[in-house]
Amino acid sequence: MISIEISDRKQIESNQKTVLSLEYYGIHIEDTKEQVLKILYYFSVPEKSTIEIDNALNDKIKTADGLIKIAKESLTQIIIDSCKSEFNDDEEDEEFYNDVKNNISEYALFYAKVRKGEIWNEEMGKAAIQKITDEIKNNLYKQV
C-alpha cells in the first residue's frame, strides 16, 4: 500500500496547493480510507461549473465528467510525487512511477459523487478556499 507520512515541507506545500486548486474547482475530497494494499478516495463534484481559468483545464472544469478526470489525475500525481519525495527516488525509478500512474487502480481507488443540480462558480470557489484556509489556521489539534 502507498501510505506514507510526508516530511518534505516542499511536498506538503505542493500537495496543499493541489488540494486548494481542487476545492476551487468544486472538487471536495470527502474522505480517504485505507483498505488492504490500497487507498480509497471519496470525492464529490458539481454537475456543472462556470469558472473560467487560463490554461488547458478550462474545458475540463465545465462538466462533472471533466472534474472527475481532473480529481483522479491530480490525486494520482500527489501519490507519485509524495512517494518520490519521501523515498528520494531518482530518474532511474521513473519506469516504476510510470507503471504506478498507468496502473493506479492497483494502489488507489477513486469514488466520485456528482452533486446534482449544483452549478459551481468563482465565488463558491473562493469561499471553499477561504473555508479550508480558516480551518488550517484555526486548527486546535497539534501533531504529537
Side-chain angles (χ1 to χ4, degrees):
M1 165 155 45
I2 302 178
S3 179
I4 60 172
E5 188 172 317
I6 304 170
S7 58
D8 180 357
R9 184 157 186 79
K10 287 183 182 178
Q11 187 59 49
I12 292 170
E13 290 173 1
S14 175
N15 291 355
Q16 285 177 335
K17 286 179 185 176
T18 300
V19 170
L20 288 174
S21 293
L22 294 176
E23 285 290 333
Y24 179 74
Y25 302 149
I27 301 166
H28 301 319
I29 300 171
E30 310 277 341
D31 198 7
T32 60
K33 295 181 180 179
E34 293 183 16
Q35 192 180 53
V36 179
L37 302 176
K38 292 186 184 180
I39 300 173
L40 310 179
Y41 292 91
Y42 297 87
F43 60 91
S44 65
V45 299
E47 188 171 359
K48 295 180 182 178
S49 174
T50 62
I51 290 179
E52 296 282 336
I53 56 174
D54 294 330
N55 66 33
L57 295 179
N58 197 49
D59 289 337
K60 280 187 179 179
I61 65 171
K62 300 296 180 199
T63 66
D65 288 341
L67 288 165
I68 289 168
K69 287 177 185 171
I70 290 170
K72 187 175 177 184
E73 291 167 1
S74 298
L75 293 170
T76 298
Q77 197 60 51
I78 283 176
I79 292 167
I80 291 170
D81 291 347
S82 297
C83 287
K84 284 181 181 179
S85 169
E86 285 308 299
F87 302 132
N88 294 319
D89 288 341
D90 53 26
E91 290 187 22
E92 58 190 56
D93 296 311
E94 278 304 309
E95 187 176 322
F96 169 75
Y97 290 111
N98 284 334
D99 183 61
V100 170
K101 186 175 185 174
N102 293 329
N103 299 293
I104 192 63
S105 62
E106 292 182 23
Y107 306 95
L109 296 176
F110 304 95
Y111 297 91
K113 173 178 68 174
V114 177
R115 299 187 304 271
K116 297 285 184 194
E118 183 174 286
I119 299 174
W120 196 256
N121 61 41
E122 186 175 1
E123 289 153 14
M124 295 166 86
K126 288 178 181 178
I129 289 177
Q130 188 62 48
K131 180 181 175 189
I132 288 188
T133 52
D134 287 348
E135 287 176 6
I136 291 170
K137 288 177 186 176
N138 298 324
N139 186 1
L140 300 177
Y141 291 97
K142 301 218 183 292
Q143 184 176 357
V144 293

